Amino acid sequence: MAWFYLLIAGCFEVGWALGMKYTEGFTRLWPSLGVLLVMGLSVYFLSLAVKVIDLGTAYAIWTGIGIAGTAIAGMAWYGESTSFLRLFFIFLILASVVGLRLISK
């Protein structure tokens, strides 16, 4: 169940990162409150995951999901660069996340 919590935490990590675009520097109330709520949920699910998963592994995977997910969403929804090198390095992040999962207890 801890790995599922970590996946959920990573998805919320992507959600708040994408939501930041709409807060306009936390000057818009509702988007700002939404981002703060999703941030809290992300950290909450991370805290559940680290009860079982080593902290360093969980944190690396949490941020990896956030980094790769946000970059992929930016390419899909905001027309950000899809250059070969960008895609290659995102692939490396995802490969690292999978590798950490495979070597974890």
Side-chain angles (χ1 to χ4, degrees):
M1 197 66 175
W3 289 101
F4 178 71
Y5 290 148
L6 187 55
L7 176 63
I8 297 300
C11 290
F12 279 126
E13 179 84 355
V14 174
W16 74 256
L18 294 174
M20 293 285 285
K21 186 170 181 70
Y22 303 100
T23 68
E24 295 180 15
F26 286 98
T27 60
R28 297 182 61 213
L29 178 63
W30 294 111
S32 298
L33 290 176
V35 164
L36 292 173
L37 173 66
V38 175
M39 281 179 173
L41 289 169
S42 180
V43 172
Y44 171 72
F45 280 101
L46 176 63
S47 74
L48 295 178
V50 298
K51 288 180 178 181
V52 176
I53 303 167
D54 290 341
L55 177 61
T57 298
Y59 187 76
I61 291 174
W62 180 61
T63 57
I65 292 170
I67 292 165
T70 303
I72 291 167
M75 288 183 274
W77 296 332
Y78 304 124
E80 295 177 3
S81 170
T82 57
S83 71
F84 171 78
L85 283 177
R86 186 168 189 198
L87 293 172
F88 174 72
F89 288 116
I90 291 170
F91 169 78
L92 289 179
I93 292 168
L94 292 173
S96 297
V97 166
V98 170
L100 285 170
R101 170 61 180 105
L102 292 174
I103 65 165
S104 296
K105 302 178 215 168

mmCIF file of all heavy atoms in Angstrom, residues 5 9 38-51 62:
data_model
loop_
_atom_site.group_PDB
_atom_site.id
_atom_site.type_symbol
_atom_site.label_atom_id
_atom_site.label_comp_id
_atom_site.label_asym_id
_atom_site.label_seq_id
_atom_site.Cartn_x
_atom_site.Cartn_y
_atom_site.Cartn_z
ATOM 1 N N TYR A 5 0.510 4.777 -2.100
ATOM 2 C CA TYR A 5 0.494 6.116 -1.496
ATOM 3 C C TYR A 5 1.544 7.018 -2.132
ATOM 4 O O TYR A 5 1.304 8.203 -2.364
ATOM 5 C CB TYR A 5 0.741 6.043 0.007
ATOM 6 C CG TYR A 5 -0.381 5.434 0.812
ATOM 7 C CD1 TYR A 5 -0.108 4.714 1.958
ATOM 8 C CD2 TYR A 5 -1.713 5.574 0.430
ATOM 9 C CE1 TYR A 5 -1.129 4.162 2.718
ATOM 10 C CE2 TYR A 5 -2.737 5.018 1.176
ATOM 11 C CZ TYR A 5 -2.440 4.316 2.317
ATOM 12 O OH TYR A 5 -3.448 3.766 3.067
ATOM 13 N N ALA A 9 0.929 10.462 -4.034
ATOM 14 C CA ALA A 9 1.660 11.667 -3.624
ATOM 15 C C ALA A 9 2.343 12.315 -4.822
ATOM 16 O O ALA A 9 2.322 13.541 -4.977
ATOM 17 C CB ALA A 9 2.692 11.319 -2.545
ATOM 18 N N VAL A 38 -3.729 20.826 -2.565
ATOM 19 C CA VAL A 38 -3.079 19.716 -3.269
ATOM 20 C C VAL A 38 -1.655 19.512 -2.749
ATOM 21 O O VAL A 38 -1.195 18.373 -2.628
ATOM 22 C CB VAL A 38 -3.136 19.935 -4.794
ATOM 23 C CG1 VAL A 38 -2.380 18.879 -5.536
ATOM 24 C CG2 VAL A 38 -4.592 19.952 -5.255
ATOM 25 N N MET A 39 -0.963 20.597 -2.394
ATOM 26 C CA MET A 39 0.366 20.458 -1.772
ATOM 27 C C MET A 39 0.261 19.659 -0.481
ATOM 28 O O MET A 39 1.062 18.749 -0.229
ATOM 29 C CB MET A 39 0.962 21.833 -1.451
ATOM 30 C CG MET A 39 1.559 22.559 -2.572
ATOM 31 S SD MET A 39 2.165 24.173 -1.933
ATOM 32 C CE MET A 39 3.013 24.758 -3.372
ATOM 33 N N GLY A 40 -0.724 20.024 0.333
ATOM 34 C CA GLY A 40 -0.920 19.319 1.598
ATOM 35 C C GLY A 40 -1.217 17.843 1.393
ATOM 36 O O GLY A 40 -0.687 16.986 2.110
ATOM 37 N N LEU A 41 -2.058 17.534 0.412
ATOM 38 C CA LEU A 41 -2.366 16.130 0.117
ATOM 39 C C LEU A 41 -1.128 15.377 -0.365
ATOM 40 O O LEU A 41 -0.908 14.224 0.016
ATOM 41 C CB LEU A 41 -3.481 16.048 -0.928
ATOM 42 C CG LEU A 41 -4.869 16.448 -0.439
ATOM 43 C CD1 LEU A 41 -5.828 16.596 -1.612
ATOM 44 C CD2 LEU A 41 -5.386 15.441 0.577
ATOM 45 N N SER A 42 -0.319 16.046 -1.169
ATOM 46 C CA SER A 42 0.906 15.411 -1.662
ATOM 47 C C SER A 42 1.826 15.045 -0.499
ATOM 48 O O SER A 42 2.326 13.926 -0.413
ATOM 49 C CB SER A 42 1.619 16.355 -2.640
ATOM 50 O OG SER A 42 2.793 15.758 -3.125
ATOM 51 N N VAL A 43 2.026 15.980 0.408
ATOM 52 C CA VAL A 43 2.906 15.730 1.558
ATOM 53 C C VAL A 43 2.285 14.692 2.493
ATOM 54 O O VAL A 43 2.992 13.845 3.045
ATOM 55 C CB VAL A 43 3.219 17.055 2.292
ATOM 56 C CG1 VAL A 43 3.951 16.807 3.591
ATOM 57 C CG2 VAL A 43 4.027 17.979 1.389
ATOM 58 N N TYR A 44 0.975 14.733 2.653
ATOM 59 C CA TYR A 44 0.300 13.751 3.508
ATOM 60 C C TYR A 44 0.526 12.333 2.982
ATOM 61 O O TYR A 44 0.911 11.430 3.747
ATOM 62 C CB TYR A 44 -1.196 14.056 3.601
ATOM 63 C CG TYR A 44 -1.976 12.961 4.283
ATOM 64 C CD1 TYR A 44 -1.872 12.765 5.658
ATOM 65 C CD2 TYR A 44 -2.797 12.115 3.557
ATOM 66 C CE1 TYR A 44 -2.570 11.748 6.290
ATOM 67 C CE2 TYR A 44 -3.499 11.097 4.171
ATOM 68 C CZ TYR A 44 -3.383 10.922 5.542
ATOM 69 O OH TYR A 44 -4.072 9.901 6.168
ATOM 70 N N PHE A 45 0.293 12.121 1.689
ATOM 71 C CA PHE A 45 0.484 10.779 1.139
ATOM 72 C C PHE A 45 1.962 10.377 1.151
ATOM 73 O O PHE A 45 2.273 9.206 1.351
ATOM 74 C CB PHE A 45 -0.128 10.670 -0.263
ATOM 75 C CG PHE A 45 -1.614 10.476 -0.227
ATOM 76 C CD1 PHE A 45 -2.469 11.528 -0.461
ATOM 77 C CD2 PHE A 45 -2.153 9.236 0.071
ATOM 78 C CE1 PHE A 45 -3.844 11.351 -0.411
ATOM 79 C CE2 PHE A 45 -3.518 9.039 0.124
ATOM 80 C CZ PHE A 45 -4.382 10.110 -0.111
ATOM 81 N N LEU A 46 2.863 11.327 0.970
ATOM 82 C CA LEU A 46 4.288 11.024 1.110
ATOM 83 C C LEU A 46 4.582 10.561 2.539
ATOM 84 O O LEU A 46 5.323 9.600 2.747
ATOM 85 C CB LEU A 46 5.141 12.238 0.747
ATOM 86 C CG LEU A 46 6.644 12.089 0.951
ATOM 87 C CD1 LEU A 46 7.221 10.993 0.059
ATOM 88 C CD2 LEU A 46 7.349 13.419 0.686
ATOM 89 N N SER A 47 3.985 11.225 3.516
ATOM 90 C CA SER A 47 4.226 10.841 4.911
ATOM 91 C C SER A 47 3.720 9.430 5.201
ATOM 92 O O SER A 47 4.315 8.710 6.013
ATOM 93 C CB SER A 47 3.589 11.849 5.869
ATOM 94 O OG SER A 47 2.184 11.714 5.915
ATOM 95 N N LEU A 48 2.636 9.031 4.557
ATOM 96 C CA LEU A 48 2.156 7.647 4.724
ATOM 97 C C LEU A 48 3.133 6.661 4.089
ATOM 98 O O LEU A 48 3.387 5.590 4.644
ATOM 99 C CB LEU A 48 0.773 7.483 4.092
ATOM 100 C CG LEU A 48 -0.378 8.270 4.721
ATOM 101 C CD1 LEU A 48 -1.672 8.028 3.941
ATOM 102 C CD2 LEU A 48 -0.552 7.916 6.186
ATOM 103 N N ALA A 49 3.667 7.031 2.933
ATOM 104 C CA ALA A 49 4.585 6.137 2.228
ATOM 105 C C ALA A 49 5.880 5.925 3.009
ATOM 106 O O ALA A 49 6.400 4.815 3.043
ATOM 107 C CB ALA A 49 4.890 6.686 0.833
ATOM 108 N N VAL A 50 6.393 6.979 3.645
ATOM 109 C CA VAL A 50 7.690 6.843 4.319
ATOM 110 C C VAL A 50 7.602 6.064 5.626
ATOM 111 O O VAL A 50 8.625 5.799 6.248
ATOM 112 C CB VAL A 50 8.395 8.206 4.543
ATOM 113 C CG1 VAL A 50 8.686 8.882 3.223
ATOM 114 C CG2 VAL A 50 7.616 9.099 5.476
ATOM 115 N N LYS A 51 6.408 5.668 6.011
ATOM 116 C CA LYS A 51 6.290 4.760 7.154
ATOM 117 C C LYS A 51 6.881 3.394 6.810
ATOM 118 O O LYS A 51 7.330 2.672 7.687
ATOM 119 C CB LYS A 51 4.824 4.584 7.562
ATOM 120 C CG LYS A 51 4.218 5.790 8.221
ATOM 121 C CD LYS A 51 2.767 5.496 8.582
ATOM 122 C CE LYS A 51 2.123 6.659 9.285
ATOM 123 N NZ LYS A 51 0.727 6.349 9.649
ATOM 124 N N TRP A 62 9.202 10.455 -5.338
ATOM 125 C CA TRP A 62 8.182 11.511 -5.266
ATOM 126 C C TRP A 62 8.563 12.694 -6.156
ATOM 127 O O TRP A 62 7.762 13.142 -6.970
ATOM 128 C CB TRP A 62 8.036 11.932 -3.815
ATOM 129 C CG TRP A 62 7.056 13.007 -3.506
ATOM 130 C CD1 TRP A 62 5.710 12.996 -3.722
ATOM 131 C CD2 TRP A 62 7.348 14.249 -2.858
ATOM 132 N NE1 TRP A 62 5.159 14.150 -3.249
ATOM 133 C CE2 TRP A 62 6.135 14.931 -2.709
ATOM 134 C CE3 TRP A 62 8.515 14.831 -2.380
ATOM 135 C CZ2 TRP A 62 6.057 16.192 -2.100
ATOM 136 C CZ3 TRP A 62 8.434 16.072 -1.773
ATOM 137 C CH2 TRP A 62 7.216 16.743 -1.644
#
